[in-house]
Amino acid sequence: MRLDLDALRIFVRVAELRSFTQAAHQLGMPKARASAHVQKLEAELGTQLLLRSTRVVRPTPEGEQLLKRAHGFLAEAEEIAALFHASRALRGRVRVELPVLIAREFVIPRLPELLARHPQLQLDICASDRLVAAVREGFDLVLRVGPVNEPGLVGRRIGEAPMMNCASPSYLRQHGTPRTLDDLRDHFVVHYSTDPVPVFEYFDGKTYKELPMRSVVTVDNFDVYEAACIAGLGIVQVPRPGLERHANKLVEILPEFIARPAPITLLHTHGRSVPRRVRAVMTWLMELLSPTVGELVSSR
């Protein structure tokens, strides 16, 4: 039996996304072609891999078993091919998720250099401040500012940003300036949606703790997070290098009670076997972004 690697790649994408339509869109092919490849794979293996309905597509038990092993198998196949084609041009698609301002200010202006070096490479860049489900949404690389809790991601630390607590002059005029942690009982924070509940994080001299807080607004975008603070809607905890962008708009408070530094991490979704094209893009991004960690967070 000859296993069709292209059909296996398509099956993996469909099984992860639970959708032929989304998988075909990400792979840049017609839905009918993706379906035909999976049907061919099922015929070769002599078993049904996906349960199809008008609402959802999901793997059968046999499909789940194949999915668990397929990533490693595909990556190993690519690595074996690369051993004998070391000088072969990089080709294929790499899907990357970046924060909006980092994509706009740092990556896109330098992207022609990478594509001139690897003209057969294709990059899909999703510029977003929402926390994408990297594995489920089919990304190869994601850049995160802050803690990473999603399983299936392997990261390389770019650096970290020291934090500070800020409020707007209008907020402090209305609510007063907190001097102690007890004072925060009469205050509000802007709630970032990635945190389960509104909290104020601080270092007590030994460890980092979280103080539950009240909030009147929840946001899912960093620019809006800062804008809500400037509008007087609550206290925020933001990277210190960004303060100069908001002269006269934000005031630092409680400098002795700061949150833990925010890690800046570039992550991939390929476990121990990273495809050659993904590894090349990851190396390029690390070389591009590592010297400018302070600028990265001040641009946010």
Side-chain angles (χ1 to χ4, degrees):
M1 180 185 69
R2 177 184 175 273
L3 191 62
D4 186 332
L5 294 181
D6 288 335
L8 184 59
R9 290 187 183 95
I10 294 167
F11 159 75
V12 167
R13 191 59 56 88
V14 173
E16 289 179 339
L17 296 176
R18 305 293 177 100
S19 169
F20 276 98
T21 302
Q22 292 183 40
H25 175 72
Q26 288 189 8
L27 294 167
M29 65 174 60
K31 177 182 175 182
R33 182 180 167 194
S35 180
H37 274 287
V38 173
Q39 289 175 4
K40 179 183 176 184
L41 181 62
E42 289 176 324
E44 289 178 345
L45 296 176
T47 188
Q48 186 177 5
L49 299 172
L50 297 170
L51 294 173
R52 304 158 174 86
S53 73
T54 55
R55 284 190 164 187
V56 70
V57 175
R58 60 186 176 87
T60 63
E62 293 79 11
E64 291 283 6
Q65 189 175 8
L66 177 60
L67 185 60
K68 289 178 182 178
R69 302 185 62 179
H71 280 295
F73 181 76
L74 290 170
E76 187 69 19
E78 184 164 334
E79 289 298 313
I80 291 172
L83 289 175
F84 303 98
H85 299 87
S87 61
R88 185 183 62 181
L90 289 177
R91 64 173 67 238
R93 189 182 304 270
V94 179
R95 301 192 73 234
V96 184
E97 188 273 335
L98 301 167
V100 174
L101 286 169
I102 292 176
R104 185 182 69 208
E105 300 294 332
F106 293 92
V107 176
I108 296 298
R110 299 284 298 275
L111 194 54
E113 301 172 16
L114 177 67
L115 296 179
R117 195 184 312 165
H118 305 293
Q120 298 184 62
L121 200 61
Q122 293 176 285
L123 261 69
D124 285 357
I125 294 181
C126 172
S128 171
D129 288 326
R130 72 182 179 90
L131 198 62
V132 302
V135 175
R136 180 171 57 81
E137 296 185 39
F139 286 99
D140 296 297
L141 296 169
V142 294
L143 190 141
R144 296 280 169 81
V145 180
V148 177
N149 300 313
E150 183 180 349
L153 299 182
V154 179
R156 293 177 62 184
R157 178 71 67 91
I158 294 177
E160 61 181 24
M163 303 295 285
M164 61 181 178
N165 309 310
C166 290
S168 70
S170 64
Y171 175 89
L172 297 176
R173 285 194 297 270
Q174 181 178 355
H175 298 278
T177 301
R179 307 292 183 187
T180 68
L181 292 175
D182 285 342
D183 292 342
L184 289 176
R185 290 179 296 182
D186 301 320
H187 286 267
F188 298 87
V189 294
V190 178
H191 179 211
Y192 207 104
S193 61
T194 53
D195 296 324
V197 296
V199 296
F200 179 91
E201 184 180 72
Y202 66 97
F203 186 66
D204 71 353
K206 295 181 179 179
T207 185
Y208 287 97
K209 295 183 176 180
E210 292 183 346
L211 179 69
M213 294 283 292
R214 293 180 295 163
S215 177
V216 295
V217 62
T218 298
V219 302
D220 66 352
N221 175 285
F222 193 85
D223 286 341
V224 178
Y225 182 65
E226 288 187 332
C229 181
I230 292 170
L233 294 171
I235 296 166
V236 296
Q237 298 185 293
V238 293
R240 176 172 294 279
L243 183 60
E244 65 273 10
R245 293 189 298 115
H246 298 301
N248 304 319
K249 294 181 180 179
L250 293 179
V251 177
E252 184 176 8
I253 60 172
L254 297 170
E256 67 274 34
F257 296 109
I258 58 173
R260 72 189 70 213
I264 304 172
T265 315
L266 185 62
L267 306 111
H268 67 78
T269 59
H270 293 274
R272 290 176 295 178
S273 300
V274 187
R276 184 166 162 254
R277 67 186 185 282
V278 175
R279 187 165 58 243
V281 175
M282 189 172 191
T283 298
W284 178 76
L285 285 170
M286 289 294 298
E287 292 173 352
L288 176 67
L289 300 178
S290 293
T292 57
V293 171
E295 293 180 63
L296 287 179
V297 292
S298 64
S299 294
R300 283 178 60 84

